[in-house]
Amino acid sequence: MEVLRKKYLEKLNKLKAVDLIKVITGIRRCGKTTLLLQFIEELKKEYKQEQIIYINFDDKENRHLLNINELEKFLDSKISRDKQMFLFCDEIQNVIGFEELILSYYSVNKNVDIYLTGSNSHMISNQIATKFTGREINIKVLPLSFMEFYELHNGNENNKYEVFNKYVKSGAFPIISNFLDENELVENTLTNIIDTILLRDLIPHFKIKNIPLLKKILTFVMENIGNQFSVINVVTYLKNNNIENTSVHTIENYLDAIVQCFLIIKIERLDIKGLKILKKYYKFFAIDLKLRNILCNKNFDQDRGRCLENIILLNLYNKFNKINVGTYYYNDNGKMKILECDFVCQNNSDKVFIQICDDILLSSVYDREINILHKIKNGRKILINNSRINQIVDGVEIIDIVDFLLKGTI
């Protein structure tokens, strides 16, 4: 089974005429190759086959092209200077020294539209950013959104909640969509993805020396998705597990490596009134819930609230230029108090304030979650719930989570 990655295809089509190298990144097995092939099929409606060059550097038939000189000879034989050309290099990080070669084609052959994909964190490292110096644009691909999952599994108005339950419990990697009900196979597949990321991407690229420490930090982060986070939390956790003398610098480097390998997403905290980023505290979210639950030996029902928050974050991630956790300070009879907004989303000057609530039928929960939205005066305010309620109350849009996830736009 395969689903059209419509949002990404729409983005690629918009970028088609833009004079930048398109760098498509994402966690392993999230569907980058499928996306490229789908885009190529669209291009074939307008361009001839000989104008499109596609190379998958993971394919054993292309092993000779891993040599930079052989690759240059091959491309020179295929690229025409008198017509529009499209060059797709899939898993380009396998070619040592690819940056200089790609830049030479970009600089000299202005008729060549270049697309690169890679799972390895090298694709977003300082090294490639320095060498491309602003001549690239990054398109980050996530595993399937709920809307894509819904389409793939024949979702409709009658079964949408059943499909949603499958989504939150089975995860969103396209590869597992063919065997969702075979839990052992799902877990083995996702475990293999985790091991591959650690062994082929994270550990060698970042030269990780203390692998047991890396795994403990990764597990701790995954266990604490949606929680307020700081490096001090990790230090305390390690000490409680009899791991002493680990520097803050090492922990920060390991956390950054985990982010760059697409296993987690870091969301910084924003002072809603002062509009300043609060660097000390932030939150992490998992790139996929099933993958996270395997790492932590948990299931969705054990911490539903934070899992729902994670799902919403993934839904918002490619829709907004900025996403932060919101902090609202206010004076209550001389005492400074703090409220938190789950997400403050911004596209230019437009702001959307979002709260997520598992069960708003409990009045105490409802009052707590909506309190901050009532205090915010400017911007759109949304309370997402898992109680199947849709209504507007005092300017706050209360939206059922499944209905929210099935909206094409916010």
Side-chain angles (χ1 to χ4, degrees):
M1 296 190 294
E2 183 179 301
V3 64
L4 276 177
R5 309 301 301 269
K6 296 174 186 176
K7 288 293 182 183
Y8 297 111
L9 289 171
E10 182 180 311
K11 184 176 290 188
L12 290 175
N13 272 308
K14 287 181 179 178
L15 292 171
K16 190 169 58 177
V18 177
D19 184 26
L20 291 169
I21 300 167
K22 290 78 177 179
V23 181
I24 301 167
T25 57
I27 191 169
R28 287 182 179 271
R29 307 311 296 267
C30 71
K32 297 183 299 297
T33 296
T34 298
L35 174 63
L36 280 194
L37 296 177
Q38 290 177 353
F39 185 49
I40 288 171
E41 287 304 309
E42 291 199 4
L43 289 176
K44 285 180 180 178
K45 298 173 184 176
E46 186 177 354
Y47 300 93
K48 295 180 180 179
Q49 178 67 54
E50 58 265 26
Q51 292 175 263
I52 302 169
I53 304 166
Y54 171 76
I55 310 167
N56 186 335
F57 292 98
D58 267 350
D59 191 332
K60 63 181 180 181
E61 293 182 3
N62 294 324
R63 281 179 185 167
H64 63 293
L65 298 179
L66 297 177
N67 179 289
I68 198 77
N69 296 320
E70 291 297 320
L71 176 58
E72 185 173 9
K73 289 178 187 177
F74 174 80
L75 292 178
D76 285 345
S77 71
K78 296 289 185 180
I79 292 176
S80 170
R81 292 179 180 270
D82 60 359
K83 61 181 72 172
Q84 177 65 56
M85 301 293 298
F86 296 89
L87 173 59
F88 295 89
C89 296
D90 201 0
E91 301 297 346
I92 185 66
Q93 79 280 350
N94 292 332
V95 181
I96 297 173
F98 73 87
E99 298 95 340
E100 290 83 358
L101 181 62
I102 292 299
L103 277 175
S104 70
Y105 284 109
Y106 169 77
S107 301
V108 176
N109 302 77
K110 287 301 182 182
N111 62 315
V112 182
D113 198 10
I114 301 173
Y115 299 78
L116 312 177
T117 79
S119 306
N120 193 301
S121 54
H122 180 81
M123 298 300 295
I124 57 169
S125 69
N126 291 332
Q127 182 179 352
I128 193 171
T130 300
K131 290 187 177 180
F132 281 9
T133 57
R135 287 170 284 190
E136 88 286 355
I137 185 167
N138 193 289
I139 300 105
K140 295 181 181 179
V141 179
L142 302 182
L144 298 178
S145 68
F146 176 61
M147 185 177 287
E148 290 170 325
F149 187 93
Y150 180 83
E151 180 181 332
L152 188 62
H153 295 281
N154 303 311
N156 57 61
E157 190 62 28
N158 293 323
N159 70 2
K160 63 183 182 182
Y161 293 106
E162 179 184 344
V163 176
F164 177 69
N165 287 332
K166 284 186 178 180
Y167 179 72
V168 298
K169 293 181 179 179
S170 302
F173 279 88
I175 189 175
I176 67 170
S177 291
N178 295 317
F179 45 83
L180 285 183
D181 296 326
E182 299 178 47
N183 193 56
E184 184 176 351
L185 184 54
V186 168
E187 293 198 1
N188 287 341
T189 301
L190 293 181
T191 299
N192 287 337
I193 290 174
I194 296 166
D195 290 343
T196 302
I197 292 168
L198 293 176
L199 296 175
R200 291 183 58 183
D201 295 340
L202 208 158
I203 292 169
H205 181 73
F206 291 96
K207 299 180 174 57
I208 301 295
K209 295 178 181 179
N210 192 334
I211 297 173
L213 175 64
L214 171 72
K215 290 182 176 179
K216 280 193 174 295
I217 291 174
L218 174 59
T219 301
F220 179 74
V221 172
M222 288 294 192
E223 285 178 342
N224 287 278
I225 57 168
N227 283 343
Q228 180 166 280
F229 199 95
S230 75
V231 174
I232 301 303
N233 298 146
V234 186
V235 172
T236 302
Y237 165 76
L238 294 175
K239 285 183 177 179
N240 291 338
N241 284 270
N242 300 315
I243 301 174
E244 303 282 352
N245 302 320
T246 301
S247 72
V248 168
H249 179 70
T250 296
I251 294 171
E252 288 177 338
N253 285 343
Y254 282 19
L255 287 171
D256 183 59
I258 295 168
V259 170
Q260 288 202 50
C261 281
F262 313 108
L263 282 164
I264 57 175
I265 296 172
K266 181 180 179 180
I267 303 296
E268 294 184 312
R269 187 174 289 277
L270 174 74
D271 177 354
I272 293 175
K273 283 185 176 179
L275 299 179
K276 292 181 180 180
I277 296 297
L278 306 173
K279 295 285 187 181
K280 187 176 181 181
Y281 296 105
Y282 41 88
K283 288 189 177 186
F284 286 116
F285 295 92
I287 200 71
D288 179 79
L289 274 183
K290 182 64 175 180
L291 182 146
R292 174 259 181 178
N293 289 340
I294 289 172
L295 274 167
C296 302
N297 193 27
K298 288 180 175 287
N299 62 60
F300 173 76
D301 292 320
Q302 286 177 293
D303 48 7
R304 293 173 57 88
R306 291 190 291 126
C307 287
L308 292 174
E309 194 174 329
N310 202 118
I311 290 168
I312 295 299
L313 182 276
L314 294 174
N315 177 266
L316 299 171
Y317 190 67
N318 282 325
K319 293 181 179 179
F320 288 92
N321 298 329
K322 294 181 182 178
I323 303 177
N324 296 106
V325 176
T327 298
Y328 186 91
Y329 298 95
Y330 70 102
N331 189 299
D332 182 22
N333 294 322
K335 293 183 179 179
M336 186 61 66
K337 293 192 175 181
I338 302 173
L339 293 174
E340 179 178 289
C341 181
D342 290 329
F343 299 116
V344 181
C345 308
Q346 299 181 70
N347 277 333
N348 302 319
S349 60
D350 295 331
K351 288 184 182 178
V352 182
F353 299 90
I354 294 177
Q355 288 286 82
I356 299 107
C357 180
D358 187 17
D359 185 4
I360 64 170
L361 297 177
L362 292 172
S363 59
S364 59
V365 174
Y366 173 80
D367 291 343
R368 183 187 69 227
E369 298 296 338
I370 207 166
N371 189 16
I372 186 172
L373 297 179
H374 283 155
K375 289 184 178 298
I376 295 169
K377 304 304 179 185
N378 299 314
R380 188 176 171 194
K381 296 172 281 188
I382 298 175
L383 177 59
I384 300 170
N385 70 91
N386 196 30
S387 304
R388 306 189 185 186
I389 294 174
N390 290 286
Q391 59 189 40
I392 298 176
V393 178
D394 297 330
V396 176
E397 301 170 56
I398 300 174
I399 306 175
D400 169 67
I401 187 169
V402 174
D403 292 334
F404 180 85
L405 293 172
L406 291 176
K407 288 177 177 287
T409 56
I410 304 274

